[in-house]
Amino acid sequence: MKILETHDLKKYYGKGDIQVRALDGVNLSVEEGEFAAVVGTSGSGKSTLLHMLGGLDYATSGTVTVAGKKIFELNENDLTVFRRRQIGFIFQSYNLVPILSVRENIVLPLELDGRDVDWEFVDQIVGTLGLKSKLDNFPGQLSGGQQQRVAIARALVTKPAIILADEPTGNLDSKTTQEVLGLLKLTGEQFHQTIVMITHNEALAQLCDRVIHIEDGRIVAPDKEVHA
């Protein structure tokens, strides 16, 4: 079952000679439970693509379909609700709220949405990510790797249709990078979670189920499955 699909997705900035084609007709699909990596150098369009996939910005033309819903057809309020419920985000900078505890950061998306917290599920997540002893700590008391684990837990807690990870290990050292990527892959498998990760690191991408290359706003080569 396809969880994510784009059709002729374009994002242009400016006009005429100064027009920048950040995305220039991107077609891709991601199956339920898949861990896909989108790889490209700086300026290739990969971050713009993630913003389009997550409904954080609107396309010039084309469609993005998430869990059967064409997200650009939603009004702003409906898109905000859909994004909160169906799309989990993991950012390079963690984006944790410093005055909230680890526990409070993890369940924040549910509370913002007025939904009950499934504490049994939260327990499963924090157990898998090794955070049980850190629930009463604040982000400033954690290492970078621990903060990113909290961000992963927060993304999982709403049971979204898809998680979008934007250079999730960009601020981490190589040892912690491998650890976090391993945990991301483990949680994807354990909770049958669909994940799309944006990265410039080809070696990291090889840990995923599939690698999609983007250059100058286009998918440049047939994506390929990676068999570990």
Side-chain angles (χ1 to χ4, degrees), residues 176-227:
T176 310
T177 289
Q178 293 294 325
E179 177 185 285
V180 167
L181 252 293
L183 285 169
L184 200 54
K185 191 173 177 68
L186 174 64
T187 54
E189 292 168 354
Q190 182 168 331
F191 301 113
H192 201 58
Q193 181 65 62
T194 309
I195 304 170
V196 174
M197 180 180 72
I198 302 294
T199 183
H200 66 277
N201 190 322
E202 182 75 42
L204 284 184
Q206 297 301 318
L207 297 173
C208 300
D209 301 325
R210 185 156 59 102
V211 182
I212 302 163
H213 291 88
I214 187 169
E215 186 178 310
D216 296 327
R218 294 173 177 243
I219 304 298
V220 293
D223 49 359
K224 57 190 178 185
E225 290 186 0
V226 177
H227 300 286

Coordinates of all heavy atoms in Angstrom, one line a residue, residues 176-227:
T176 N 27.5 8.4 17.5 CA 26.1 8.6 17.9 C 25.2 8.6 16.6 O 24.1 8.1 16.7 CB 26.0 10.0 18.6 OG1 27.0 10.1 19.6 CG2 24.6 10.2 19.2
T177 N 25.8 9.0 15.5 CA 25.0 8.9 14.2 C 24.6 7.5 13.9 O 23.4 7.2 13.6 CB 25.9 9.5 13.1 OG1 26.0 10.9 13.2 CG2 25.3 9.2 11.7
Q178 N 25.6 6.6 14.0 CA 25.3 5.2 13.8 C 24.2 4.6 14.8 O 23.3 3.9 14.4 CB 26.5 4.3 13.9 CG 27.5 4.6 12.8 CD 27.0 4.2 11.4 OE1 26.3 3.2 11.3 NE2 27.4 4.9 10.4
E179 N 24.3 5.0 16.0 CA 23.4 4.6 17.1 C 22.0 5.1 16.8 O 21.0 4.3 16.8 CB 23.9 5.2 18.4 CG 23.0 4.9 19.6 CD 23.6 5.6 20.8 OE1 24.6 5.1 21.4 OE2 23.0 6.6 21.2
V180 N 21.9 6.4 16.4 CA 20.5 7.0 16.2 C 19.9 6.4 14.9 O 18.7 6.1 14.9 CB 20.6 8.5 16.1 CG1 19.4 9.1 15.5 CG2 20.9 9.1 17.5
L181 N 20.7 6.2 13.9 CA 20.2 5.6 12.7 C 19.7 4.2 12.9 O 18.7 3.7 12.4 CB 21.3 5.6 11.6 CG 21.0 6.6 10.4 CD1 19.8 6.2 9.6 CD2 20.8 8.0 11.0
G182 N 20.5 3.4 13.7 CA 20.1 2.1 14.1 C 18.8 2.1 14.8 O 17.9 1.2 14.6
L183 N 18.6 3.0 15.7 CA 17.3 3.1 16.5 C 16.2 3.5 15.6 O 15.1 3.0 15.8 CB 17.5 4.1 17.7 CG 18.3 3.6 18.8 CD1 18.7 4.8 19.8 CD2 17.6 2.5 19.6
L184 N 16.5 4.4 14.7 CA 15.4 4.9 13.7 C 14.9 3.7 12.9 O 13.7 3.5 12.7 CB 16.0 6.0 12.8 CG 15.0 6.9 12.1 CD1 14.0 7.5 13.1 CD2 15.7 8.0 11.4
K185 N 15.9 2.9 12.5 CA 15.6 1.7 11.7 C 14.8 0.7 12.5 O 13.8 0.1 12.1 CB 16.8 1.1 11.1 CG 16.6 0.0 10.0 CD 17.9 -0.4 9.4 CE 17.8 -1.5 8.4 NZ 17.0 -1.1 7.2
L186 N 15.3 0.5 13.8 CA 14.6 -0.5 14.7 C 13.2 -0.1 15.0 O 12.3 -0.9 14.9 CB 15.4 -0.5 16.0 CG 14.8 -1.4 17.1 CD1 14.7 -2.8 16.7 CD2 15.6 -1.2 18.4
T187 N 13.0 1.2 15.3 CA 11.6 1.7 15.6 C 10.7 1.6 14.4 O 9.5 1.2 14.5 CB 11.6 3.1 16.1 OG1 12.3 4.0 15.2 CG2 12.3 3.2 17.5
G188 N 11.3 1.8 13.2 CA 10.5 1.7 12.0 C 10.0 0.2 11.8 O 8.8 0.0 11.4
E189 N 10.9 -0.7 12.1 CA 10.5 -2.1 11.9 C 9.6 -2.6 13.0 O 8.6 -3.2 12.8 CB 11.8 -3.0 11.9 CG 12.7 -2.8 10.7 CD 14.1 -3.4 10.9 OE1 14.4 -3.9 12.0 OE2 14.8 -3.4 9.9
Q190 N 9.9 -2.1 14.3 CA 9.1 -2.6 15.4 C 7.7 -2.1 15.4 O 6.7 -2.8 15.7 CB 9.8 -2.2 16.7 CG 9.0 -2.6 18.0 CD 9.8 -2.5 19.2 OE1 11.1 -2.5 19.2 NE2 9.2 -2.3 20.3
F191 N 7.5 -0.8 14.9 CA 6.2 -0.2 14.9 C 5.6 -0.1 13.5 O 4.6 0.6 13.3 CB 6.3 1.2 15.6 CG 6.8 1.2 17.0 CD1 8.0 1.7 17.4 CD2 6.0 0.5 18.0 CE1 8.5 1.7 18.7 CE2 6.5 0.5 19.3 CZ 7.7 1.0 19.6
H192 N 6.2 -0.8 12.6 CA 5.8 -0.8 11.2 C 5.6 0.6 10.7 O 4.5 1.0 10.1 CB 4.5 -1.7 11.0 CG 4.3 -2.1 9.6 ND1 5.3 -2.9 8.9 CD2 3.3 -1.9 8.7 CE1 4.8 -3.1 7.7 NE2 3.6 -2.5 7.5
Q193 N 6.5 1.5 10.9 CA 6.4 2.9 10.6 C 7.1 3.2 9.3 O 8.2 2.8 9.0 CB 7.1 3.7 11.8 CG 7.1 5.2 11.6 CD 5.6 5.7 11.7 OE1 5.0 5.6 12.7 NE2 5.1 6.3 10.6
T194 N 6.4 4.0 8.5 CA 7.0 4.5 7.2 C 7.8 5.7 7.5 O 7.4 6.6 8.2 CB 5.9 4.8 6.2 OG1 4.9 3.7 6.1 CG2 6.4 5.1 4.9
I195 N 9.1 5.7 7.0 CA 10.0 6.8 7.2 C 10.7 7.2 5.9 O 11.1 6.4 5.1 CB 11.1 6.3 8.2 CG1 10.5 5.8 9.5 CG2 12.1 7.5 8.5 CD1 11.5 5.1 10.5
V196 N 10.7 8.5 5.7 CA 11.5 9.1 4.6 C 12.6 10.0 5.3 O 12.2 10.9 6.0 CB 10.7 9.9 3.7 CG1 11.6 10.6 2.6 CG2 9.7 9.0 2.9
M197 N 13.9 9.7 5.0 CA 15.0 10.5 5.6 C 15.7 11.3 4.5 O 16.1 10.7 3.5 CB 15.9 9.5 6.3 CG 17.1 10.3 6.9 SD 18.3 9.2 7.7 CE 19.1 8.3 6.3
I198 N 15.9 12.5 4.7 CA 16.6 13.4 3.8 C 18.1 13.4 4.4 O 18.3 13.6 5.6 CB 16.1 14.8 3.8 CG1 14.6 14.9 3.4 CG2 16.9 15.7 2.9 CD1 14.4 14.5 2.0
T199 N 19.1 13.2 3.5 CA 20.4 13.2 3.9 C 21.4 13.5 2.7 O 21.0 13.3 1.6 CB 20.8 11.9 4.5 OG1 22.2 11.9 5.0 CG2 20.7 10.7 3.5
H200 N 22.6 14.0 3.1 CA 23.6 14.2 2.0 C 24.6 13.1 2.1 O 25.5 13.0 1.3 CB 24.3 15.6 2.3 CG 25.1 15.6 3.5 ND1 24.5 15.9 4.7 CD2 26.4 15.4 3.8 CE1 25.5 15.9 5.7 NE2 26.6 15.5 5.1
N201 N 24.4 12.2 3.1 CA 25.4 11.2 3.4 C 25.0 9.8 2.8 O 24.1 9.1 3.2 CB 25.5 11.0 5.0 CG 26.6 10.1 5.4 OD1 26.9 9.1 4.8 ND2 27.2 10.5 6.5
E202 N 25.7 9.5 1.7 CA 25.4 8.3 1.0 C 25.6 7.0 1.8 O 24.8 6.1 1.7 CB 26.3 8.2 -0.3 CG 26.1 7.0 -1.2 CD 24.9 7.1 -2.0 OE1 24.6 8.2 -2.6 OE2 24.1 6.1 -2.2
A203 N 26.6 7.0 2.7 CA 26.9 5.9 3.5 C 25.7 5.6 4.5 O 25.3 4.4 4.7 CB 28.2 6.1 4.3
L204 N 25.1 6.7 5.1 CA 24.0 6.5 5.9 C 22.8 6.0 5.1 O 22.0 5.1 5.6 CB 23.6 7.8 6.6 CG 24.5 8.3 7.7 CD1 23.9 9.6 8.3 CD2 24.6 7.3 8.8
A205 N 22.6 6.5 3.9 CA 21.5 6.1 3.1 C 21.5 4.6 2.8 O 20.4 4.0 2.7 CB 21.5 6.9 1.8
Q206 N 22.7 4.1 2.7 CA 22.8 2.6 2.4 C 22.2 1.8 3.5 O 21.9 0.6 3.3 CB 24.2 2.2 2.2 CG 24.9 2.9 1.0 CD 24.1 2.7 -0.3 OE1 23.7 1.5 -0.6 NE2 24.0 3.7 -1.2
L207 N 21.9 2.3 4.7 CA 21.3 1.6 5.8 C 19.8 1.5 5.6 O 19.2 0.7 6.4 CB 21.6 2.3 7.2 CG 23.1 2.3 7.6 CD1 23.3 3.2 8.8 CD2 23.7 0.9 7.8
C208 N 19.3 2.2 4.7 CA 17.8 2.3 4.5 C 17.4 1.2 3.5 O 18.2 0.5 2.9 CB 17.4 3.6 4.0 SG 17.8 5.0 5.1
D209 N 16.1 1.0 3.4 CA 15.5 0.0 2.5 C 15.7 0.4 1.0 O 15.9 -0.4 0.1 CB 14.0 -0.2 2.7 CG 13.7 -0.7 4.1 OD1 14.6 -1.4 4.7 OD2 12.7 -0.3 4.7
R210 N 15.7 1.7 0.8 CA 15.7 2.2 -0.6 C 16.4 3.6 -0.6 O 16.2 4.4 0.3 CB 14.3 2.3 -1.2 CG 14.2 2.7 -2.6 CD 12.9 2.2 -3.3 NE 11.7 2.8 -2.6 CZ 11.0 3.8 -3.1 NH1 11.4 4.4 -4.2 NH2 10.0 4.2 -2.4
V211 N 17.1 3.8 -1.7 CA 17.8 5.1 -1.8 C 17.3 5.8 -3.1 O 17.2 5.3 -4.2 CB 19.4 4.9 -1.9 CG1 20.1 6.3 -2.1 CG2 19.9 4.1 -0.8
I212 N 16.9 7.1 -2.9 CA 16.4 7.9 -4.0 C 17.3 9.1 -4.1 O 17.6 9.8 -3.2 CB 15.0 8.4 -3.7 CG1 14.0 7.3 -3.4 CG2 14.5 9.4 -4.8 CD1 12.7 7.7 -2.7
H213 N 17.9 9.3 -5.3 CA 18.9 10.4 -5.6 C 18.2 11.5 -6.2 O 17.4 11.4 -7.2 CB 20.0 9.9 -6.4 CG 20.9 8.9 -5.8 ND1 20.7 7.5 -5.8 CD2 22.0 9.1 -5.0 CE1 21.6 6.9 -5.1 NE2 22.5 7.8 -4.6
I214 N 18.5 12.7 -5.7 CA 17.9 13.9 -6.3 C 19.1 14.9 -6.6 O 20.1 15.0 -5.9 CB 16.9 14.6 -5.3 CG1 16.2 15.8 -6.0 CG2 17.6 15.0 -4.0 CD1 15.0 16.3 -5.2
E215 N 18.9 15.6 -7.8 CA 19.9 16.5 -8.2 C 19.2 17.6 -9.1 O 18.4 17.3 -9.9 CB 21.0 15.8 -9.0 CG 22.2 16.7 -9.4 CD 23.2 15.9 -10.2 OE1 23.6 14.8 -9.7 OE2 23.6 16.4 -11.3
D216 N 19.5 18.9 -8.8 CA 18.9 20.0 -9.5 C 17.4 19.9 -9.6 O 16.8 20.1 -10.6 CB 19.5 20.1 -10.9 CG 21.0 20.4 -10.9 OD1 21.4 21.1 -10.0 OD2 21.7 19.9 -11.8
G217 N 16.8 19.4 -8.4 CA 15.4 19.3 -8.4 C 14.7 18.2 -9.1 O 13.5 18.1 -9.2
R218 N 15.5 17.2 -9.5 CA 14.9 16.1 -10.2 C 15.5 14.8 -9.6 O 16.6 14.7 -9.2 CB 15.3 16.1 -11.7 CG 14.7 17.3 -12.5 CD 15.3 17.3 -13.9 NE 14.6 18.4 -14.7 CZ 13.9 18.1 -15.8 NH1 13.7 16.9 -16.2 NH2 13.4 19.2 -16.4
I219 N 14.7 13.7 -9.7 CA 15.2 12.4 -9.4 C 16.1 12.0 -10.6 O 15.6 11.9 -11.7 CB 14.0 11.4 -9.2 CG1 13.0 11.9 -8.2 CG2 14.6 10.0 -8.9 CD1 13.6 12.0 -6.8
V220 N 17.3 11.7 -10.3 CA 18.3 11.6 -11.4 C 18.6 10.2 -11.9 O 19.2 10.0 -12.9 CB 19.7 12.3 -11.0 CG1 19.5 13.8 -10.9 CG2 20.2 11.7 -9.8
A221 N 18.3 9.2 -11.0 CA 18.5 7.8 -11.4 C 17.5 7.0 -10.8 O 16.9 7.4 -9.8 CB 19.9 7.4 -10.9
P222 N 17.2 5.8 -11.4 CA 16.2 4.9 -10.8 C 16.6 4.6 -9.3 O 17.8 4.3 -9.0 CB 16.3 3.7 -11.6 CG 16.9 4.1 -12.9 CD 17.8 5.2 -12.6
D223 N 15.6 4.8 -8.4 CA 16.0 4.5 -7.0 C 16.2 3.0 -6.9 O 15.7 2.2 -7.7 CB 14.9 5.0 -6.1 CG 13.5 4.6 -6.5 OD1 13.3 4.0 -7.5 OD2 12.5 5.0 -5.8
K224 N 16.9 2.6 -5.9 CA 17.3 1.2 -5.8 C 17.1 0.7 -4.4 O 17.2 1.4 -3.4 CB 18.8 1.1 -6.2 CG 19.7 1.9 -5.3 CD 21.1 1.9 -5.8 CE 22.0 2.8 -5.0 NZ 23.3 3.0 -5.5
E225 N 16.7 -0.6 -4.3 CA 16.6 -1.2 -3.0 C 18.0 -1.6 -2.5 O 18.9 -1.9 -3.2 CB 15.7 -2.5 -3.1 CG 14.3 -2.2 -3.4 CD 13.4 -3.5 -3.4 OE1 14.0 -4.5 -3.1 OE2 12.2 -3.4 -3.6
V226 N 18.1 -1.5 -1.2 CA 19.3 -1.8 -0.5 C 19.1 -3.1 0.3 O 18.2 -3.1 1.1 CB 19.8 -0.7 0.4 CG1 21.1 -1.1 1.1 CG2 20.1 0.6 -0.4
H227 N 19.9 -4.1 0.1 CA 19.7 -5.3 0.8 C 20.9 -5.5 1.8 O 22.0 -5.7 1.4 CB 19.7 -6.5 -0.1 CG 18.5 -6.4 -1.1 ND1 17.2 -6.7 -0.7 CD2 18.5 -6.1 -2.4 CE1 16.4 -6.5 -1.8 NE2 17.2 -6.2 -2.8

